[in-house]
Amino acid sequence: MKDLEIEIHFGTEATKESLKALDADVIVFATGSSAKMLPIDGFENTVAAIDVLRGRTDCGEKAIIIGGGLTGCELSYELAAQGKDVTVLEALPEILAAPGIQPPNKTALMDYMNLYGVHVTTNAKIQKISEHSVEVDGSVLPADTIISAVGYNSVLSAELAEAFPDKEVHIVGDAKKVGNLMSVIRDAYHVGYAL
């Protein structure tokens, strides 16, 4: 980007007005996503999985991960491999139930979780979350950190996305549909190549 002298505006919110002022022929929305918040009492006491993955949060020695999808399970064995006591709570009858996870990858990930002693509770019904515990199915589970890995929501508003009918508009990555690293890079590549 530096070599191509691409203009970058830091600390600038993309609004209808600021985008109109640029007078661009093409607009690409790549606004990403933010962590979901569940309607559970005390959910604000959780830490987003991305903050743990980026090293922004020290998990202590005992962690509970809410969400047994790909992110939650990968994070669980990574923390357990560091010697931490990790429990995964999944509301569904099984972990890694999302479509698109290849069976060999699912099996390997579950094997790693077993190898490192990750505790898994499926069909988990969480009643309440406090700063250092989760009440699930009538039991209180203590933890140093409670991590949310329940997914993400796009942060692009429909109002902004539809505000430029006279422009060529592309929506890529999590702004279009929350996916994984492969899908968001593929989206961006196809749009960039077409332009």
Side-chain angles (χ1 to χ4, degrees), residues 1-187:
M1 291 176 71
K2 186 176 181 181
D3 291 346
L4 295 172
E5 297 181 359
I6 295 172
E7 188 176 339
I8 303 170
H9 297 259
F10 292 105
T12 305
E13 182 181 357
T15 64
K16 285 191 277 188
E17 294 74 24
S18 66
L19 291 173
K20 282 181 182 175
L22 293 173
D23 195 31
D25 297 319
V26 179
I27 299 172
V28 178
F29 289 104
T31 53
S33 58
S34 62
K36 284 183 182 177
M37 294 292 289
L38 297 182
I40 296 173
D41 185 18
F43 197 80
E44 68 277 3
N45 291 307
T46 64
V47 173
I50 190 68
D51 290 331
V52 177
L53 291 166
R54 289 184 173 168
R56 295 177 183 157
T57 299
D58 177 16
C59 292
E61 294 305 309
K62 190 172 184 68
I64 293 175
I65 298 174
I66 300 171
L70 198 55
T71 301
C73 289
E74 287 178 343
L75 181 57
S76 75
Y77 90 78
E78 183 178 321
L79 293 175
Q82 297 170 18
K84 299 181 187 307
D85 181 357
V86 183
T87 299
V88 173
L89 301 176
E90 171 56 55
L92 296 175
E94 63 177 295
I95 59 171
L96 299 167
I101 301 175
Q102 299 300 314
N105 294 348
K106 180 176 179 175
T107 300
L109 188 48
M110 291 173 75
D111 287 346
Y112 277 123
M113 292 171 69
N114 286 331
L115 175 68
Y116 291 113
V118 173
H119 312 286
V120 176
T121 301
T122 55
N123 295 309
K125 293 174 182 60
I126 299 172
Q127 285 85 39
K128 185 177 180 181
I129 300 169
S130 69
E131 191 175 348
H132 293 292
S133 67
V134 176
E135 186 179 332
V136 58
D137 300 319
S139 299
V140 176
L141 306 177
D144 296 314
T145 306
I146 297 102
I147 303 164
S148 167
V150 295
Y152 297 86
N153 291 317
S154 171
V155 296
L156 178 61
S157 72
E159 180 186 1
L160 186 59
E162 297 166 2
F164 303 96
D166 57 331
K167 304 287 183 184
E168 181 180 343
V169 174
H170 300 275
I171 303 173
V172 300
D174 281 2
K176 178 171 74 174
K177 180 181 180 212
V178 175
N180 57 32
L181 192 57
M182 186 184 310
S183 67
V184 300
I185 290 173
R186 182 179 57 237
D187 273 1

